[in-house]
């Protein structure tokens, strides 16, 4: 088969913006492309290093449009891969939507909603009606899809796309190491968060009788949400209170170093969804603050203990006690979550021929 006769897939998402979760999607797509689209050539056209592309400037926006256009012209299939990218259709995605009658359109590992406006509902419903292959990442998204497109076959629920990533592995644990993944998008008052963290640290230390080492891990440095200044602010406050604190950033460590940092922790306390998901997949006890619907959806799908799926702005004290005493309490083991993902994200059931059905159960 010649290179030109192969199927050409343009995988799209919020890639190249300096966010750990989105870059982990990119790495997963590249690693698993042969299984997702056998025999196809798969590209993202997103840069691997954060630069002009990620900036909210006219030049940055122009570069994103240019690369999206190049990818669209090159591909015969556009595949939205990973993330909360079906909350609305904006920017370059709106341009793609106008042209999609000329391309096969797929969405893998996406959340459907929540929506900010009736216009967003209309745009997303149109996108859903154009899909040839859909796998959603949580049960709620499947239910929302059924309400928006009631006559279409139900999509598979595959869990988060990164469950396919073979680089997410269990590591030996560092005793007493508690990794905290704060989110600038979820924090309006760093002093208040520092107070909540301190209370949880005291509870964990009392329960485990082990001195705590606190690692603040910045998982995003995007123009819209940069966790690095927040981590340094929290570090100053916690150090002043007598805790041993270190700051690490995804931007400095890269994917491999960040995965290891999470996996070697004795506990992970996260406001970032993929801090919690990687902890879950590497069997590290974790709490997750449900400041976004996607966090709540993941927690409910894996059966997190109510005390460890923390409402936005609530204390982490009870979660820290529970984790210190019982470990990570989920009803769905990580190996089953991974197995479901491997089955749900198996190659498109029609072998890649254009069609309108969204289920692999036909």
């Amino acid at each position: 088969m010649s290179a030109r006769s192969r199927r050409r897939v343009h995988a799209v998402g919020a890639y190249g913006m300096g966010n750990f979760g989105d870059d982990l999607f990119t790495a997963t797509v590249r690693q698993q492309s042969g299984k997702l689209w056998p025999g196809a050539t798969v590209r993202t056209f997103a840069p691997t290093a954060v630069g002009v592309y990620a900036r909210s400037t006219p030049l940055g926006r122009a570069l994103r449009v240019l690369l999206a256009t190049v990818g669209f012209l090159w591909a015969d299939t556009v595949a939205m891969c990973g993330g909360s990218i079906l909350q609305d259709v904006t920017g370059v995605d709106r341009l793609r939507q106008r042209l999609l009658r000329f391309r096969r359109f797929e969405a893998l590992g996406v959340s459907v909603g929540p929506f900010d406006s009736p216009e967003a509902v209309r745009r997303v419903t149109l996108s859903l009606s154009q899909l040839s292959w859909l796998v959603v990442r949580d049960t709620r998204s499947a239910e929302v899809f059924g309400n928006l497109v009631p006559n279409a076959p139900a999509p598979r629920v595959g869990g988060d796309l990164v469950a396919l990533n073979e680089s997410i592995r269990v590591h030996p644990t560092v005793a007493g190491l508690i990794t905290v993944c704060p989110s600038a998008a979820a924090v309006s008052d760093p002093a208040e968060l520092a107070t909540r963290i301190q209370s949880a640290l005291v509870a964990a230390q009392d329960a485990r009788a082990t001195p705590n080492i606190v690692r603040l891990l910045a998982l995003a440095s995007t123009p819209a949400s940069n966790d690095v200044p927040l981590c340094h602010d929290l570090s100053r406050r916690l150090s002043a209170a007598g805790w041993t604190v270190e700051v690490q950033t995804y931007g400095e460590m890269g994917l491999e170093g960040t995965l290891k940092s999470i996996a070697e922790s004795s506990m992970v306390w996260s406001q970032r969804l993929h801090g919690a998901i990687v902890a879950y997949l590497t069997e590290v006890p974790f709490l997750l603050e449900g400041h976004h619907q996607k966090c709540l959806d993941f927690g409910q799908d894996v059966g997190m203990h109510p005390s460890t799926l923390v409402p936005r702005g609530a204390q982490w004290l009870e979660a820290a006690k529970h984790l210190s005493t019982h470990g990570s309490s989920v009803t769905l083991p990580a190996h089953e979550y991974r197995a479901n993902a491997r089955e749900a994200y198996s190659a498109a059931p029609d072998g890649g021929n254009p069609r309108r059905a969204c289920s692999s159960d036909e």
Side-chain angles (χ1 to χ4, degrees):
M1 181 184 294
S2 68
R4 188 60 187 170
S5 65
R6 292 177 182 171
R7 187 176 173 202
R8 299 178 303 282
V9 179
H10 182 195
V12 301
Y15 308 150
M17 305 295 286
N19 180 279
F20 169 69
D22 291 316
D23 290 352
L24 194 53
F25 289 140
T26 307
T28 303
V29 165
R30 290 171 177 163
Q31 182 190 89
Q32 299 294 321
S33 61
K35 296 177 181 178
L36 292 168
W37 302 281
T41 301
V42 181
R43 295 177 180 170
T44 65
F45 290 92
T48 55
V50 178
V52 174
Y53 179 89
R55 295 175 187 164
S56 300
T57 63
L59 182 57
R61 289 191 290 272
L63 183 57
R64 291 192 290 275
V65 170
L66 173 62
L67 291 180
T69 303
V70 169
F72 187 87
L73 293 174
W74 168 82
D76 53 50
T77 300
V78 176
M80 304 173 73
C81 296
S84 305
I85 50 181
L86 282 177
Q87 293 180 262
D88 200 349
V89 180
T90 60
V92 296
D93 289 327
R94 196 170 296 180
L95 173 63
R96 290 192 190 101
Q97 189 175 72
R98 296 192 187 103
L99 301 172
L100 275 174
R101 65 183 180 274
F102 303 111
R103 298 290 186 273
R104 177 184 168 92
F105 187 37
E106 303 172 345
L108 305 181
V110 297
S111 294
V112 183
F115 309 108
D116 291 331
S117 68
E119 291 75 18
V121 174
R122 179 183 57 79
R123 287 189 287 264
V124 170
T125 302
L126 176 59
S127 283
L128 291 171
S129 69
Q130 295 172 312
L131 288 170
S132 299
W133 185 26
L134 171 64
V135 182
V136 296
R137 71 176 175 185
D138 52 69
T139 303
R140 185 198 58 82
S141 291
E143 294 170 351
V144 173
F145 173 88
N147 292 331
L148 295 178
V149 195
N151 296 323
R156 292 291 299 269
V157 178
D160 198 272
L161 193 66
V162 305
L164 301 175
N165 196 302
E166 297 169 4
S167 300
I168 302 176
R169 300 184 298 270
V170 175
H171 283 261
T173 299
V174 177
L177 174 59
I178 297 176
T179 295
V180 182
C181 305
S183 169
V187 175
S188 57
D189 185 354
E192 185 273 337
L193 178 59
T195 299
R196 287 196 283 142
I197 293 172
Q198 286 187 67
S199 297
L201 287 169
V202 170
Q205 189 155 290
D206 289 347
R208 302 174 79 172
T210 302
N212 290 324
I213 305 167
V214 185
R215 174 179 290 165
L216 296 167
L217 179 57
L219 293 179
S221 57
T222 69
S225 182
N226 188 347
D227 298 340
V228 177
L230 174 60
C231 283
H232 285 294
D233 187 318
L234 293 172
S235 177
R236 288 190 293 271
R237 297 176 189 275
L238 295 174
S239 296
W243 299 99
T244 302
V245 183
E246 62 179 357
V247 174
Q248 292 184 345
T249 71
Y250 162 59
E252 293 175 346
M253 296 190 300
L255 280 174
E256 184 177 347
T258 303
L259 291 174
K260 180 177 182 295
S261 181
I262 294 172
E264 71 182 8
S265 306
S266 66
M267 278 193 283
V268 169
W269 302 345
S270 188
Q271 293 180 310
R272 287 284 179 187
L273 176 61
H274 283 92
I277 289 178
V278 171
Y280 168 66
L281 294 174
T282 55
E283 302 177 9
V284 176
F286 69 99
L287 70 80
L288 176 59
E289 183 170 309
H291 66 91
H292 189 282
Q293 185 64 47
K294 62 187 178 183
C295 300
L296 299 174
D297 294 339
F298 168 73
Q300 290 164 6
D301 276 0
V302 302
M304 289 180 65
H305 189 274
S307 70
T308 61
L309 185 57
V310 184
R312 181 171 187 165
Q315 292 293 326
W316 296 359
L317 184 65
E318 293 304 317
K321 290 179 181 177
H322 181 88
L323 294 174
S324 299
T325 305
H326 302 289
S328 187
S329 297
V330 294
T331 59
L332 181 67
H335 70 271
E336 292 185 16
Y337 189 85
R338 285 184 184 267
N340 178 66
R342 287 192 294 270
E343 180 184 357
Y345 293 110
S346 57
D350 63 346
N353 296 319
R355 67 189 188 95
R356 303 294 292 214
C358 296
S359 173
S360 59
D361 289 332
E362 291 187 351

